[in-house]
Amino acid sequence: MGKEKADTFQVACPDCGAMIVVDAATGLVVSHTSAPRKRMFEDLETAAKAMREQDERKESIFRQSVDAEKNKEDLFDKKFAEALRKAKDAPAGKPLRDFDLD
């Protein structure tokens, strides 16, 4: 007879490199073989160096947030004084309502 079609076919995932076996008749995934995991670091020394750099970045961000908290009260005082000055300079009158604009 003629050539028979294969019951399944393999597809390589372009994103992760995994091998997926798909049933030709139904189009459903029959099996999945994960791609081998890539190593993040070549050796222990580079991993330790990366950890130290990450700790330094965390410490720097923490110090910046502490400084921002210390200055927050002064910033609020300045904003309040500016808003108070604007309120005193604004003309005293009846405020407009949305209903009045119709």
Side-chain angles (χ1 to χ4, degrees):
M1 310 230 164
K3 275 189 162 182
E4 292 184 25
K5 278 184 125 181
D7 293 337
T8 61
F9 56 93
Q10 291 186 351
V11 178
C13 176
D15 187 42
C16 66
M19 291 301 296
I20 303 169
V21 179
V22 180
D23 184 20
T26 61
L28 299 174
V29 175
V30 175
S31 69
H32 172 268
T33 305
S34 298
R37 296 184 85 181
K38 296 179 182 175
R39 297 181 77 167
M40 266 184 119
F41 302 106
E42 293 299 319
D43 58 356
L44 192 58
E45 288 300 318
T46 56
K49 181 180 177 184
M51 290 291 288
R52 285 191 297 271
E53 290 172 356
Q54 184 179 11
D55 288 341
E56 289 171 3
R57 283 193 304 270
K58 286 181 191 176
E59 184 66 28
S60 172
I61 292 170
F62 178 73
R63 274 188 256 116
Q64 288 175 355
S65 66
V66 167
D67 290 341
E69 281 295 319
K70 287 180 182 176
N71 297 331
K72 187 185 276 187
E73 187 176 345
D74 294 335
L75 179 65
F76 285 147
D77 289 340
K78 288 178 184 177
K79 285 184 177 183
F80 180 74
E82 180 66 23
L84 189 61
R85 185 188 60 77
K86 283 183 180 180
K88 286 181 181 178
D89 292 344
K94 188 174 179 182
L96 287 178
R97 301 176 294 177
D98 290 338
F99 184 77
D100 293 336
L101 297 176
D102 288 336

